Amino acid sequence: MRHLLLLFVLLTALQLSAQRVVVSEELPLRNDISYDVIGELKGRVLLFRNRTDKFEIQAFDENMRSSWSKEIELEKRQPSIIGVNSLRDSFTVIYHHRDKGNTIVRADHFDPSANKRQTLLLKDYGFTFFTPTFRLERSEDRSKVLIYHIDRSTFNVLVFDNASFTLLWEKSFQIDDFTDGVDVMHMLVSNDGEMFMVLEKDNVMSRREKHRFDLFVCSPASPSINQFAIFMEDKVTYDVKFIIDNLNHRFCGGGLYFERNIERAEGYFHLSLPRNDLLSHRLRFHPFDDSFVSDLEGKEIRQNRGLVEIGINNIVLRKDGGMLIFGEENRNSTRFSTNVPRMGFDNVSRNTIDYYYNDIFAISVHPDGEEHWKKVLYKKQYSQDDDGAYSSFFLFKTPSNLRLIFNDEIKFENTVSEYLIKGTGDNERHSLLSTELLKHRLRYRDAIQISGDKMVVPSERRGQLRVAKIIL
C-alpha cells in the first residue's frame, strides 16, 4: 500500500510539474474599497489599492514577494477612481473630482516605479448638481480609453489616447428615445479610437417584428455620429456580446435568440459588418439541433424546446475573420432558511443565494457566418452567498490554442482544471494544480493574462488578499 501511495504522489507531481505557482503574502482588505491588478511592468507585478484614506501601489518581485509599496498622490479634493489602464511600461489612473461644484475628469500617468510623470485634465464638465456616474471601456490593445456618462438622454463621451497621453476626441449627443437603466446598451472603442455604441430596441415578444440593434459610430476623423439599424428578422435576442475585429476591420457580434419560447434560447446568431461599409452586414441564424440540446441538458430530449439559463461569456476572433462564441449554463436561486438562536434572538432567519455555474459551450463560425463546429465542455460548480466570484472560467489565449481555466469545486481545498481547445474543435481536459493546504480561493473571473504563458489571479479568503502568478 505504501508503494502504491508513493507512486500516486509521484504521478501527481509529474502531472502538475509543467505549471508553476507563486503566491504573495496575505494583504488585509479591511480598509480597501477596491483593488485592481495592473499587470507586470518591468518584471514587477503591480497592484492598485483604493483604500479608505489613500491610494497605494503594491509591487511584487518575480517570486511574488513584496518588493515595495508606495502611496500615490492624486488631486486632493476627494478623487473617485474611474479606472486604471496599463501599457507595456506604464500605467494611468483615470479619476474625477469636484472643484467649486464643477466635475473634472483627469488622467495621471505613472512609470513602473509608481512615480508620476504627467497629468492631464481631460474634461471640465462645469457645475453639476449631481456627480455623474462615469463608465470606462478600453480598446483591445489598451492604447485607447473611452470614458462616458449619461445625463437623461444625453451621452457625454470622450476618447483618451493613452499611448500619446492626449485627448483624442470628445462629443455630446442626444438620443430622444433612450431610457437609461431600461434600454440595454453596449459600448466599445477600437484601437483607432472609434466609438461603437449599440442599443437593443423593441427586444420583446410583442414587438419582435421591430426588434433591431441601433448602431452609433463616431471616429476621430469625423465629428458626426453615424447611425445604422440592424433588424433581427422577427427574432428576439436572448443574450448577445459585441466585439471589434481590429485585424480585419470589422464590427462583430454573437448571441442567442428565440422565436416562440421566451424562457429558452432556441439558437444562436452571428453578425459581421465591415467598418468601411456598415450598411453591408451579414446576419446568420442557426437553430440548436437535438444532439446539442441533449448534451447541454444532460439527458435525451423528446422535444427540442431550446435551452434555459445559458448566456454568452466571451467572443474570440479568428485571424480569418471568423469567431468563436463561448457560453455557459448559470443560474442562481434564493432560499429562505432559519438559523439556530443566537445573540439573544430566537428564529434568526436569512435568505441564502445558491449559485450554479455548469457546462460551457463553444461554437466556431466561419467569416461568412457558416458553422464550423460546436462543442460542449462539462463542468459543475456550486457555491453560496459569494456572488459566484470563484465560479465560471478564465479564457487564456495563445497562438496555437485556447485554454479555459476554472476551479473544479468552490471550496478551500480544491483542484484547478483546464480545457485545451484547438482550432479544429478538438479538446482535452487536464488537471493544472491543487490548492490543498495552500489557503487559496482563486478568482479566475478577475484574472488577467500578462504574457503567452503567465497569468495573475487574485485570491480572497477571510478578508485577506493574496495574488498568485501562474506560469503555464
Side-chain angles (χ1 to χ4, degrees):
M1 179 64 70
R2 177 180 296 177
H3 294 300
L4 289 174
L5 180 61
L6 178 60
L7 179 61
F8 174 77
V9 172
L10 289 174
L11 288 174
T12 303
L14 286 172
Q15 184 181 26
L16 303 180
S17 61
Q19 287 76 41
R20 179 170 172 247
V21 183
V22 285
V23 186
S24 73
E25 63 188 21
E26 291 184 334
L27 303 171
L29 291 173
R30 183 175 59 253
N31 294 324
D32 284 51
I33 299 172
S34 63
Y35 63 84
D36 286 280
V37 180
I38 296 173
E40 188 174 51
L41 279 67
K42 299 294 185 181
R44 296 284 190 272
V45 172
L46 301 186
L47 177 73
F48 175 81
R49 304 182 69 181
N50 181 0
R51 315 194 75 177
T52 55
D53 57 346
K54 60 182 176 180
F55 303 103
E56 183 178 278
I57 303 297
Q58 176 72 55
F60 306 96
D61 65 16
E62 62 180 7
N63 294 311
M64 296 305 291
R65 294 187 295 256
S66 180
S67 180
W68 50 262
S69 64
K70 180 183 293 185
E71 182 179 353
I72 60 172
E73 295 290 338
L74 303 179
E75 180 65 34
K76 294 293 186 180
R77 295 178 180 273
Q78 297 180 326
S80 297
I81 303 299
I82 299 173
V84 181
N85 188 58
S86 62
L87 298 176
R88 179 171 296 181
D89 56 359
S90 65
F91 67 93
T92 300
V93 181
I94 301 167
Y95 59 98
H96 65 91
H97 66 93
R98 303 277 283 188
D99 186 5
K100 298 179 181 178
N102 289 11
T103 297
I104 297 171
V105 177
R106 293 181 182 271
D108 285 3
H109 182 241
F110 296 85
D111 66 17
S113 299
N115 299 310
K116 186 187 292 189
R117 293 308 183 191
Q118 51 187 327
T119 186
L120 178 66
L121 192 156
L122 291 171
K123 180 71 174 179
D124 184 345
Y125 284 98
F127 178 80
T128 54
F129 192 77
F130 296 105
T131 301
T133 299
F134 289 95
R135 308 173 210 182
L136 178 146
E137 298 292 338
R138 303 173 181 85
S139 64
E140 182 185 24
D141 65 0
R142 303 180 77 91
S143 68
K144 308 299 186 295
V145 180
L146 186 149
I147 304 125
Y148 68 101
H149 74 273
I150 305 168
D151 183 6
R152 297 183 179 89
S153 59
T154 299
F155 291 75
N156 300 282
V157 181
L158 59 89
V159 174
F160 166 58
D161 188 336
N162 204 161
S164 63
F165 211 72
T166 57
L167 178 63
L168 193 60
W169 61 268
E170 63 169 299
K171 191 170 185 63
S172 294
F173 57 95
Q174 191 167 359
I175 301 175
D176 293 331
D177 61 346
F178 173 80
T179 304
D180 194 15
V182 176
D183 291 330
V184 178
M185 180 182 66
H186 309 262
M187 187 76 85
L188 299 92
V189 60
S190 73
N191 290 347
D192 298 325
E194 286 179 289
M195 177 203 76
F196 292 82
M197 185 179 78
V198 183
L199 298 181
E200 299 181 27
K201 304 300 294 185
D202 295 314
N203 191 21
V204 292
M205 193 69 173
S206 61
R207 294 197 296 272
R208 67 179 189 173
E209 71 280 356
K210 297 181 180 179
H211 174 41
R212 67 193 184 278
F213 296 128
D214 282 347
L215 174 62
F216 301 84
V217 182
C218 186
S219 70
S222 172
S224 60
I225 299 289
N226 295 311
Q227 181 177 352
F228 308 88
I230 303 164
F231 285 88
M232 293 298 289
E233 301 178 12
D234 292 348
K235 296 174 177 63
V236 184
T237 305
Y238 189 91
D239 192 21
V240 63
K241 281 192 180 297
F242 296 98
I243 190 169
I244 298 170
D245 186 344
N246 291 285
L247 177 64
N248 295 289
H249 306 288
R250 304 185 74 85
F251 179 79
C252 304
L256 309 172
Y257 72 89
F258 66 87
E259 293 184 90
R260 299 175 300 276
N261 194 330
I262 63 174
E263 296 181 349
R264 292 176 176 267
E266 298 172 359
Y268 72 93
F269 64 89
H270 166 268
L271 173 66
S272 178
L273 301 86
R275 280 164 59 185
N276 61 355
D277 185 11
L278 293 171
L279 291 173
S280 60
H281 67 269
R282 296 195 194 107
L283 179 62
R284 297 290 299 272
F285 296 92
H286 299 270
F288 291 138
D289 55 68
D290 293 350
S291 61
F292 182 73
V293 173
S294 294
D295 287 345
L296 271 172
E297 292 278 340
K299 60 184 178 182
E300 195 70 28
I301 60 167
R302 296 184 179 179
Q303 182 181 4
N304 183 351
R305 296 186 299 155
L307 293 163
V308 296
E309 297 168 333
I310 64 172
I312 304 297
N313 282 59
N314 300 86
I315 292 179
V316 178
L317 297 168
R318 301 186 345 185
K319 287 186 178 180
D320 65 356
M323 68 166 61
L324 280 82
I325 303 170
F326 287 90
E328 187 176 28
E329 293 183 298
N330 69 81
R331 65 183 175 89
N332 60 71
S333 59
T334 303
R335 293 183 289 113
F336 185 75
S337 58
T338 301
N339 298 328
V340 296
R342 60 184 179 183
M343 297 181 65
F345 296 95
D346 293 331
N347 299 322
V348 177
S349 301
R350 67 181 182 91
N351 289 331
T352 298
I353 303 178
D354 299 320
Y355 293 91
Y356 300 86
Y357 284 79
N358 295 327
D359 300 335
I360 303 166
F361 62 87
I363 302 170
S364 181
V365 182
H366 290 302
D368 62 359
E370 282 295 317
E371 183 179 294
H372 183 197
W373 52 259
K374 57 179 181 286
K375 301 288 182 180
V376 176
L377 311 171
Y378 300 104
K379 69 175 178 67
K380 193 177 184 66
Q381 296 170 320
Y382 165 75
S383 62
Q384 288 183 353
D385 295 336
D386 66 350
D387 201 28
Y390 308 96
S391 299
S392 198
F393 62 91
F394 178 74
L395 204 156
F396 191 97
K397 303 174 185 177
T398 72
S400 58
N401 51 54
L402 296 173
R403 309 176 77 161
L404 274 63
I405 302 172
F406 56 93
N407 291 310
D408 279 320
E409 297 179 273
I410 312 305
K411 59 182 185 179
F412 290 124
E413 296 182 354
N414 174 45
T415 55
V416 175
S417 292
E418 72 165 353
Y419 276 105
L420 190 69
I421 306 175
K422 298 180 181 179
T424 58
D426 296 333
N427 61 87
E428 301 173 355
R429 179 167 174 163
H430 304 131
S431 292
L432 283 181
L433 57 98
S434 172
T435 62
E436 186 174 2
L437 305 179
L438 295 179
K439 299 180 180 179
H440 294 342
R441 293 200 73 185
L442 296 167
R443 299 171 58 118
Y444 281 104
R445 292 169 67 178
D446 300 316
I448 64 169
Q449 182 174 343
I450 58 176
S451 71
D453 65 347
K454 288 187 289 187
M455 61 189 298
V456 177
V457 190
S459 170
E460 286 187 38
R461 183 174 184 264
R462 296 175 180 171
Q464 302 288 322
L465 171 67
R466 305 175 81 182
V467 183
K469 181 166 67 174
I470 301 176
I471 303 171
L472 299 170

